[in-house]
Amino acid sequence: MRKIISYIRIGLTAGVILLYYNFRYLRKFARNPQKFTFEYRYKTIRRMVLKVLKHFHVDYQITGFENYKNLKGKCLIVSNHHSDADPLVMIANHEDPITFISKKEAFDFPIIGNCLYALEGFSLDRENLMNQISQIRDIVAHLKDENKPNLVVYIEGTRNKSPQNDCLPFHAGTLKISKMAGVPVVPVTIYGTSRILTKNSYLKKYPAYLNYREIIDYGLLENFDTNDEAAKLRKEFDKDINRIRKLDAEYVYKEKLSKKRKALETIIDAKGLS
């Protein structure tokens, strides 16, 4: 019953916000993006995202962001993928515009598709090799253009539906894009986002971890093997996620302990024992 009430509450808050922005802005952005500046489109979408995540009580745990902020020029942001909330958390944390490389099917999803079109995202058809080649050319051209926003790509290629397990195999071709475009990679470890939309743990706050790790400039590596580098990067992500899991366990324990303590204090006050 509690779960049903939670979903109803979210539907009447976050759901209304999404519908309002979709009909008021997103559909127009998707149909005629050239009528609006990219900055305006991104700012509007980010405002929507911040309002939605506020109702999910997201507690952002951001580390290493200075690695990204201090970077001069363009970059490719590479992350693992745990949840549909991952892009939302990323947008919430980036005041400066970013856009995404996504699977082709995501462009057909309600609201999400409009956001991707509005942000001029790139779609990759995993069943169509010619489409991939063409899109990769466009992605490289985008990254070489200093007037375009930085790109986010989920290197696992799909969601890891078991965040307690290791990362899925990393797509080596992602690193080749960095080499072709001559831009560095900013690896970002994501964790905790899978709880945001499920609401199964009933926490008062839902921690979402983003760790911006040390920048990697593959352009400085001579004749590197993308498969080897992808496997190496995956191991580093797994180590980072294991570290964050421990921090998260402490966070959840303290949150639940605090909840029990407050409940106990309420009982004591009611009995006049304080």
Side-chain angles (χ1 to χ4, degrees):
M1 184 65 181
R2 184 179 179 183
K3 188 173 183 180
I4 295 174
I5 293 174
S6 178
Y7 280 126
I8 292 174
R9 179 182 61 79
I10 291 170
L12 293 175
T13 52
V16 171
I17 293 170
L18 287 172
L19 289 174
Y20 169 77
Y21 272 84
N22 187 53
F23 287 101
R24 177 70 177 82
Y25 299 104
L26 301 182
R27 294 199 304 173
K28 292 191 294 185
F29 290 170
R31 291 172 181 172
N32 298 293
Q34 68 280 359
K35 289 187 176 182
F36 311 90
T37 66
F38 190 93
E39 288 72 18
Y40 176 70
R41 282 177 268 144
Y42 181 80
K43 184 178 180 180
T44 302
I45 290 173
R46 184 169 182 266
R47 186 166 63 245
M48 174 191 73
V49 167
L50 289 170
K51 288 181 178 180
V52 168
L53 291 182
K54 181 179 180 181
H55 289 284
F56 284 91
H57 306 292
V58 178
D59 185 11
Y60 304 96
Q61 303 290 309
I62 312 298
T63 53
F65 193 55
E66 64 277 2
N67 292 330
Y68 175 80
K69 291 295 289 184
N70 295 334
L71 182 65
K72 305 298 182 183
K74 299 293 293 298
C75 71
L76 181 65
I77 302 170
V78 170
S79 174
N80 60 307
H81 196 9
H82 277 167
S83 164
D84 289 334
D86 292 346
L88 304 182
V89 173
M90 190 73 76
I91 288 174
N93 190 51
H94 282 253
E95 186 174 352
D96 294 332
I98 54 174
T99 189
F100 297 85
I101 301 173
S102 178
K103 61 183 180 181
K104 178 177 176 288
E105 294 81 2
F107 283 76
D108 296 325
F109 295 161
I111 302 179
I112 294 175
N114 285 340
C115 286
L116 286 169
Y117 280 116
L119 296 178
E120 300 176 24
F122 291 90
S123 66
L124 286 180
D125 187 348
R126 289 173 289 189
E127 305 299 324
N128 188 330
L129 180 60
M130 294 306 296
N131 168 270
Q132 293 182 37
I133 294 173
S134 174
Q135 285 292 74
I136 287 173
R137 290 198 191 103
D138 292 340
I139 290 168
V140 170
H142 175 102
L143 287 170
K144 288 183 176 181
D145 188 341
E146 289 296 329
N147 296 317
K148 299 289 186 179
N150 288 327
L151 271 171
V152 179
V153 59
Y154 296 104
I155 195 168
E156 292 170 290
T158 188
R159 279 182 299 139
N160 183 350
K161 298 181 181 180
S162 300
Q164 296 305 316
N165 297 334
D166 291 341
C167 291
L168 301 175
F170 281 10
H171 287 213
T174 301
L175 306 184
K176 190 171 290 185
I177 291 174
S178 165
K179 177 80 171 181
M180 293 168 65
V183 299
V185 163
V186 178
V188 180
T189 308
I190 288 182
Y191 188 79
T193 52
S194 56
R195 277 190 304 238
I196 295 173
L197 300 182
T198 59
K199 305 285 284 183
N200 285 332
S201 51
Y202 303 112
L203 297 174
K204 188 174 182 180
K205 295 183 292 185
Y206 292 82
Y209 302 84
L210 289 178
N211 181 35
Y212 292 75
R213 302 173 57 245
E214 187 175 347
I215 293 166
I216 305 172
D217 193 342
Y218 287 101
L220 299 179
L221 300 179
E222 293 292 335
N223 301 320
F224 74 95
D225 186 289
T226 53
N227 291 303
D228 290 343
E229 289 298 324
K232 177 182 175 182
L233 189 61
R234 181 190 177 195
K235 289 181 180 178
E236 292 176 357
F237 266 76
D238 284 334
K239 288 180 182 178
D240 204 21
I241 289 173
N242 285 331
R243 177 186 63 82
I244 295 174
R245 279 197 190 106
K246 295 177 182 178
L247 295 175
D248 181 66
E250 293 176 5
Y251 182 107
V252 172
Y253 174 76
K254 290 179 181 178
E255 186 68 23
K256 289 183 177 180
L257 183 64
S258 175
K259 187 176 181 180
K260 289 180 180 179
R261 185 174 296 161
K262 289 177 181 177
L264 181 60
E265 289 174 353
T266 300
I267 294 173
I268 292 174
D269 290 340
K271 292 182 177 181
L273 300 177
S274 57

PDB file of all heavy atoms in Angstrom, residues 83-103:
ATOM      1  N   SER A  83      20.807   3.248 -14.860  1.00  0.00           N
ATOM      2  CA  SER A  83      19.383   3.565 -14.750  1.00  0.00           C
ATOM      3  C   SER A  83      18.968   4.583 -15.798  1.00  0.00           C
ATOM      4  O   SER A  83      19.801   5.327 -16.331  1.00  0.00           O
ATOM      5  CB  SER A  83      19.103   4.112 -13.342  1.00  0.00           C
ATOM      6  OG  SER A  83      17.866   4.765 -13.263  1.00  0.00           O
ATOM      7  N   ASP A  84      17.658   4.646 -16.058  1.00  0.00           N
ATOM      8  CA  ASP A  84      17.116   5.690 -16.924  1.00  0.00           C
ATOM      9  C   ASP A  84      17.309   7.073 -16.298  1.00  0.00           C
ATOM     10  O   ASP A  84      17.179   8.090 -16.979  1.00  0.00           O
ATOM     11  CB  ASP A  84      15.620   5.449 -17.168  1.00  0.00           C
ATOM     12  CG  ASP A  84      15.371   4.245 -18.068  1.00  0.00           C
ATOM     13  OD1 ASP A  84      16.258   3.919 -18.870  1.00  0.00           O
ATOM     14  OD2 ASP A  84      14.285   3.644 -17.970  1.00  0.00           O
ATOM     15  N   ALA A  85      17.595   7.095 -14.998  1.00  0.00           N
ATOM     16  CA  ALA A  85      17.818   8.375 -14.316  1.00  0.00           C
ATOM     17  C   ALA A  85      19.229   8.916 -14.544  1.00  0.00           C
ATOM     18  O   ALA A  85      19.499  10.070 -14.209  1.00  0.00           O
ATOM     19  CB  ALA A  85      17.574   8.223 -12.818  1.00  0.00           C
ATOM     20  N   ASP A  86      20.121   8.117 -15.118  1.00  0.00           N
ATOM     21  CA  ASP A  86      21.510   8.559 -15.318  1.00  0.00           C
ATOM     22  C   ASP A  86      21.613   9.866 -16.105  1.00  0.00           C
ATOM     23  O   ASP A  86      22.308  10.792 -15.673  1.00  0.00           O
ATOM     24  CB  ASP A  86      22.325   7.463 -16.027  1.00  0.00           C
ATOM     25  CG  ASP A  86      22.525   6.237 -15.147  1.00  0.00           C
ATOM     26  OD1 ASP A  86      22.272   6.331 -13.932  1.00  0.00           O
ATOM     27  OD2 ASP A  86      22.930   5.192 -15.678  1.00  0.00           O
ATOM     28  N   PRO A  87      20.943   9.985 -17.264  1.00  0.00           N
ATOM     29  CA  PRO A  87      21.030  11.262 -18.001  1.00  0.00           C
ATOM     30  C   PRO A  87      20.442  12.428 -17.223  1.00  0.00           C
ATOM     31  O   PRO A  87      20.931  13.557 -17.335  1.00  0.00           O
ATOM     32  CB  PRO A  87      20.218  10.984 -19.280  1.00  0.00           C
ATOM     33  CG  PRO A  87      20.165   9.508 -19.406  1.00  0.00           C
ATOM     34  CD  PRO A  87      20.160   8.983 -18.010  1.00  0.00           C
ATOM     35  N   LEU A  88      19.394  12.168 -16.424  1.00  0.00           N
ATOM     36  CA  LEU A  88      18.780  13.234 -15.640  1.00  0.00           C
ATOM     37  C   LEU A  88      19.759  13.786 -14.608  1.00  0.00           C
ATOM     38  O   LEU A  88      19.907  15.005 -14.446  1.00  0.00           O
ATOM     39  CB  LEU A  88      17.518  12.719 -14.934  1.00  0.00           C
ATOM     40  CG  LEU A  88      16.427  12.100 -15.802  1.00  0.00           C
ATOM     41  CD1 LEU A  88      15.234  11.686 -14.949  1.00  0.00           C
ATOM     42  CD2 LEU A  88      15.992  13.054 -16.894  1.00  0.00           C
ATOM     43  N   VAL A  89      20.433  12.879 -13.914  1.00  0.00           N
ATOM     44  CA  VAL A  89      21.401  13.297 -12.902  1.00  0.00           C
ATOM     45  C   VAL A  89      22.566  14.034 -13.553  1.00  0.00           C
ATOM     46  O   VAL A  89      23.076  15.022 -13.016  1.00  0.00           O
ATOM     47  CB  VAL A  89      21.889  12.078 -12.097  1.00  0.00           C
ATOM     48  CG1 VAL A  89      23.019  12.464 -11.160  1.00  0.00           C
ATOM     49  CG2 VAL A  89      20.742  11.458 -11.306  1.00  0.00           C
ATOM     50  N   MET A  90      22.971  13.568 -14.731  1.00  0.00           N
ATOM     51  CA  MET A  90      24.071  14.225 -15.443  1.00  0.00           C
ATOM     52  C   MET A  90      23.678  15.646 -15.855  1.00  0.00           C
ATOM     53  O   MET A  90      24.451  16.598 -15.671  1.00  0.00           O
ATOM     54  CB  MET A  90      24.441  13.399 -16.672  1.00  0.00           C
ATOM     55  CG  MET A  90      25.718  13.839 -17.368  1.00  0.00           C
ATOM     56  SD  MET A  90      27.214  13.423 -16.458  1.00  0.00           S
ATOM     57  CE  MET A  90      27.342  11.659 -16.794  1.00  0.00           C
ATOM     58  N   ILE A  91      22.479  15.809 -16.396  1.00  0.00           N
ATOM     59  CA  ILE A  91      22.004  17.141 -16.795  1.00  0.00           C
ATOM     60  C   ILE A  91      21.886  18.040 -15.569  1.00  0.00           C
ATOM     61  O   ILE A  91      22.259  19.215 -15.607  1.00  0.00           O
ATOM     62  CB  ILE A  91      20.648  17.029 -17.527  1.00  0.00           C
ATOM     63  CG1 ILE A  91      20.847  16.416 -18.919  1.00  0.00           C
ATOM     64  CG2 ILE A  91      19.986  18.395 -17.652  1.00  0.00           C
ATOM     65  CD1 ILE A  91      19.550  16.123 -19.657  1.00  0.00           C
ATOM     66  N   ALA A  92      21.364  17.500 -14.478  1.00  0.00           N
ATOM     67  CA  ALA A  92      21.206  18.294 -13.257  1.00  0.00           C
ATOM     68  C   ALA A  92      22.542  18.840 -12.774  1.00  0.00           C
ATOM     69  O   ALA A  92      22.612  19.951 -12.236  1.00  0.00           O
ATOM     70  CB  ALA A  92      20.558  17.446 -12.170  1.00  0.00           C
ATOM     71  N   ASN A  93      23.607  18.078 -12.979  1.00  0.00           N
ATOM     72  CA  ASN A  93      24.924  18.485 -12.486  1.00  0.00           C
ATOM     73  C   ASN A  93      25.683  19.371 -13.458  1.00  0.00           C
ATOM     74  O   ASN A  93      26.699  19.961 -13.078  1.00  0.00           O
ATOM     75  CB  ASN A  93      25.765  17.237 -12.162  1.00  0.00           C
ATOM     76  CG  ASN A  93      27.039  17.587 -11.415  1.00  0.00           C
ATOM     77  OD1 ASN A  93      26.994  18.300 -10.415  1.00  0.00           O
ATOM     78  ND2 ASN A  93      28.169  17.129 -11.905  1.00  0.00           N
ATOM     79  N   HIS A  94      25.210  19.478 -14.699  1.00  0.00           N
ATOM     80  CA  HIS A  94      25.929  20.257 -15.710  1.00  0.00           C
ATOM     81  C   HIS A  94      25.131  21.502 -16.070  1.00  0.00           C
ATOM     82  O   HIS A  94      24.144  21.428 -16.805  1.00  0.00           O
ATOM     83  CB  HIS A  94      26.170  19.406 -16.966  1.00  0.00           C
ATOM     84  CG  HIS A  94      27.296  18.444 -16.816  1.00  0.00           C
ATOM     85  ND1 HIS A  94      28.511  18.621 -17.433  1.00  0.00           N
ATOM     86  CD2 HIS A  94      27.398  17.287 -16.109  1.00  0.00           C
ATOM     87  CE1 HIS A  94      29.318  17.616 -17.117  1.00  0.00           C
ATOM     88  NE2 HIS A  94      28.659  16.797 -16.310  1.00  0.00           N
ATOM     89  N   GLU A  95      25.583  22.632 -15.564  1.00  0.00           N
ATOM     90  CA  GLU A  95      24.931  23.888 -15.925  1.00  0.00           C
ATOM     91  C   GLU A  95      25.228  24.250 -17.373  1.00  0.00           C
ATOM     92  O   GLU A  95      24.366  24.754 -18.086  1.00  0.00           O
ATOM     93  CB  GLU A  95      25.398  24.999 -14.991  1.00  0.00           C
ATOM     94  CG  GLU A  95      24.663  26.311 -15.187  1.00  0.00           C
ATOM     95  CD  GLU A  95      25.038  27.351 -14.160  1.00  0.00           C
ATOM     96  OE1 GLU A  95      25.763  27.004 -13.197  1.00  0.00           O
ATOM     97  OE2 GLU A  95      24.610  28.519 -14.314  1.00  0.00           O
ATOM     98  N   ASP A  96      26.461  23.985 -17.800  1.00  0.00           N
ATOM     99  CA  ASP A  96      26.815  24.203 -19.203  1.00  0.00           C
ATOM    100  C   ASP A  96      26.230  23.070 -20.044  1.00  0.00           C
ATOM    101  O   ASP A  96      26.209  21.908 -19.613  1.00  0.00           O
ATOM    102  CB  ASP A  96      28.327  24.250 -19.383  1.00  0.00           C
ATOM    103  CG  ASP A  96      28.945  25.462 -18.688  1.00  0.00           C
ATOM    104  OD1 ASP A  96      28.236  26.476 -18.557  1.00  0.00           O
ATOM    105  OD2 ASP A  96      30.115  25.380 -18.286  1.00  0.00           O
ATOM    106  N   PRO A  97      25.779  23.364 -21.267  1.00  0.00           N
ATOM    107  CA  PRO A  97      25.085  22.360 -22.083  1.00  0.00           C
ATOM    108  C   PRO A  97      25.919  21.115 -22.389  1.00  0.00           C
ATOM    109  O   PRO A  97      27.131  21.190 -22.613  1.00  0.00           O
ATOM    110  CB  PRO A  97      24.769  23.121 -23.378  1.00  0.00           C
ATOM    111  CG  PRO A  97      24.701  24.544 -22.968  1.00  0.00           C
ATOM    112  CD  PRO A  97      25.745  24.695 -21.905  1.00  0.00           C
ATOM    113  N   ILE A  98      25.245  19.987 -22.384  1.00  0.00           N
ATOM    114  CA  ILE A  98      25.801  18.716 -22.841  1.00  0.00           C
ATOM    115  C   ILE A  98      24.726  18.043 -23.685  1.00  0.00           C
ATOM    116  O   ILE A  98      23.552  18.416 -23.640  1.00  0.00           O
ATOM    117  CB  ILE A  98      26.195  17.780 -21.678  1.00  0.00           C
ATOM    118  CG1 ILE A  98      24.998  17.578 -20.728  1.00  0.00           C
ATOM    119  CG2 ILE A  98      27.408  18.305 -20.935  1.00  0.00           C
ATOM    120  CD1 ILE A  98      25.240  16.559 -19.633  1.00  0.00           C
ATOM    121  N   THR A  99      25.118  17.050 -24.451  1.00  0.00           N
ATOM    122  CA  THR A  99      24.141  16.233 -25.170  1.00  0.00           C
ATOM    123  C   THR A  99      24.606  14.786 -25.150  1.00  0.00           C
ATOM    124  O   THR A  99      25.668  14.475 -24.583  1.00  0.00           O
ATOM    125  CB  THR A  99      23.921  16.744 -26.601  1.00  0.00           C
ATOM    126  OG1 THR A  99      22.800  16.043 -27.169  1.00  0.00           O
ATOM    127  CG2 THR A  99      25.137  16.547 -27.479  1.00  0.00           C
ATOM    128  N   PHE A 100      23.835  13.883 -25.775  1.00  0.00           N
ATOM    129  CA  PHE A 100      24.045  12.456 -25.547  1.00  0.00           C
ATOM    130  C   PHE A 100      24.108  11.648 -26.846  1.00  0.00           C
ATOM    131  O   PHE A 100      23.488  12.005 -27.843  1.00  0.00           O
ATOM    132  CB  PHE A 100      22.909  11.897 -24.685  1.00  0.00           C
ATOM    133  CG  PHE A 100      22.827  12.497 -23.318  1.00  0.00           C
ATOM    134  CD1 PHE A 100      22.141  13.697 -23.122  1.00  0.00           C
ATOM    135  CD2 PHE A 100      23.431  11.900 -22.235  1.00  0.00           C
ATOM    136  CE1 PHE A 100      22.070  14.274 -21.866  1.00  0.00           C
ATOM    137  CE2 PHE A 100      23.360  12.472 -20.970  1.00  0.00           C
ATOM    138  CZ  PHE A 100      22.685  13.663 -20.787  1.00  0.00           C
ATOM    139  N   ILE A 101      24.855  10.564 -26.762  1.00  0.00           N
ATOM    140  CA  ILE A 101      24.799   9.508 -27.777  1.00  0.00           C
ATOM    141  C   ILE A 101      23.909   8.417 -27.201  1.00  0.00           C
ATOM    142  O   ILE A 101      24.158   7.925 -26.094  1.00  0.00           O
ATOM    143  CB  ILE A 101      26.200   8.943 -28.082  1.00  0.00           C
ATOM    144  CG1 ILE A 101      27.128  10.057 -28.580  1.00  0.00           C
ATOM    145  CG2 ILE A 101      26.101   7.819 -29.111  1.00  0.00           C
ATOM    146  CD1 ILE A 101      28.579   9.603 -28.750  1.00  0.00           C
ATOM    147  N   SER A 102      22.860   8.045 -27.913  1.00  0.00           N
ATOM    148  CA  SER A 102      21.884   7.105 -27.371  1.00  0.00           C
ATOM    149  C   SER A 102      21.518   6.048 -28.401  1.00  0.00           C
ATOM    150  O   SER A 102      21.773   6.205 -29.594  1.00  0.00           O
ATOM    151  CB  SER A 102      20.624   7.878 -26.951  1.00  0.00           C
ATOM    152  OG  SER A 102      19.635   7.005 -26.457  1.00  0.00           O
ATOM    153  N   LYS A 103      20.911   4.983 -27.930  1.00  0.00           N
ATOM    154  CA  LYS A 103      20.414   3.968 -28.847  1.00  0.00           C
ATOM    155  C   LYS A 103      19.251   4.543 -29.646  1.00  0.00           C
ATOM    156  O   LYS A 103      18.516   5.422 -29.176  1.00  0.00           O
ATOM    157  CB  LYS A 103      19.974   2.716 -28.092  1.00  0.00           C
ATOM    158  CG  LYS A 103      18.846   2.949 -27.104  1.00  0.00           C
ATOM    159  CD  LYS A 103      18.522   1.661 -26.355  1.00  0.00           C
ATOM    160  CE  LYS A 103      17.381   1.882 -25.355  1.00  0.00           C
ATOM    161  NZ  LYS A 103      17.065   0.658 -24.607  1.00  0.00           N
TER     162      LYS A 103
END
